[in-house]
Amino acid sequence: MYEDVDVDGDQDSHIPPHFYRELTRTKEGCQLLEDKGHFLDFASTIREHGMQSDDLELITKVKGCLWAVGNVGSMELGAPFLESTDVVERIVHIAQAHDVMSLRGTAFFVLGLISRSLHGLEILSEHGWLSNTTPLGKSFGLCIPNDLSKFLSYTPWKHEIPLSIKLPGTQAMSHHPVSIVIDEADDTSKRVLELIEVELGDMILYKKARVELHQLRHQRLPIFRQPAMFRRVMGFLEGRHYKLADRHLIIELFDKDVLRHVIYGEDTSDEGDLNSGDEQRTERQRSISDPADLELTTAKTSQYSI
């Protein structure tokens, strides 16, 4: 069935080695390929799912099958496999009519592989695809159809502009955000809101606004421990477009205790307790850090222990 063919001269440094191509170099390999039925599986996958355009996994699988068929068909000993199925016709149809351009390109290069064998050239010529050859009759490995309009044409589709896309109610942003009262008499609060709401969206003032926010972040201002301020800023993040890095910077401005207040649903009236707790901790740290007080505390402890 498989005739002896001189394949020693079939060397191409431009094509990476493929398992099924190397397997088809020998009669024993072709017999093994026929016994296992792999080529029929590849052809069946191309026949059933070749025009699939929705499932990415199936598209990837079809591409792998195309490369396997092309490498088998590029060898002279692979001629019986091409004759036993209509896989070449299917590949031609994919190259001319598929909706996914990457799959069209894969089919185009696979047809070029098939054209490297004399038998593949004959089959492709029957389907209207021709390949240029050397004076010795060896194919260059690229082929094109007689009618280029079939290969270069594309079925028109209805383009959907972004403005016509309507989000479901669960994904749409609220047009009436909850109003949160902030004491804007404080110049620092007003400046922070201005930086986040206005200047971060201005291409001219953007860099300056980021630098100033970085400076405010390191100052640990009291306004960054206010849950009401945090909720106001979250309203900006929900209703406006910010870069991911800017969102991260804005959230990092606030103290972590503010997140606890917001998550556990505590009222903003607890801000005084939060600030007073910080002040108490600060006073305690000062008393401990004072060497005189530390010596006095140590002496009293020693006296009581005696």
Side-chain angles (χ1 to χ4, degrees), residues 30-96:
C30 291
Q31 187 63 48
L32 178 63
L33 183 59
E34 183 181 6
D35 294 340
K36 295 296 183 181
H38 290 181
F39 190 88
L40 294 178
D41 293 339
F42 298 148
S44 176
T45 300
I46 295 173
R47 185 184 304 107
E48 295 177 4
H49 307 291
M51 299 304 294
Q52 174 66 245
S53 59
D54 298 328
D55 194 331
L56 294 179
E57 292 184 1
L58 274 179
I59 291 176
T60 304
K61 183 178 180 180
V62 170
K63 287 182 179 180
C65 293
L66 287 173
W67 284 117
V69 169
N71 279 277
V72 171
S74 66
M75 307 300 293
E76 295 296 341
L77 292 178
F81 295 102
L82 297 180
E83 288 182 341
S84 62
T85 62
D86 61 344
V87 66
V88 176
E89 181 182 356
R90 300 286 180 173
I91 297 175
V92 169
H93 183 59
I94 292 174
Q96 294 178 347

Side-chain angles (χ1 to χ4, degrees), residues 31 61 66 82 91 95 116 125 137 145 148 154 165 203 216 231 280:
Q31 187 63 48
K61 183 178 180 180
L66 287 173
L82 297 180
I91 297 175
R116 295 178 63 83
S125 64
L148 285 176
Y154 197 80
I165 301 176
M203 296 182 62
L216 293 174
R231 292 190 180 96
Q280 291 175 3

Side-chain angles (χ1 to χ4, degrees), residues 185-231:
D186 183 8
D187 294 337
T188 306
S189 300
K190 293 174 62 177
R191 181 56 182 161
V192 170
L193 294 176
E194 183 181 2
L195 287 171
I196 297 175
E197 184 178 8
V198 180
E199 297 190 10
L200 275 182
D202 192 324
M203 296 182 62
I204 299 176
L205 303 175
Y206 173 76
K207 291 185 177 180
K208 181 181 178 182
R210 279 189 60 90
V211 172
E212 190 168 347
L213 285 175
H214 272 291
Q215 294 174 351
L216 293 174
R217 175 185 176 185
H218 294 295
Q219 293 178 13
R220 299 294 181 182
L221 300 174
I223 59 172
F224 296 137
R225 294 193 295 270
Q226 299 177 5
M229 185 68 172
F230 180 78
R231 292 190 180 96

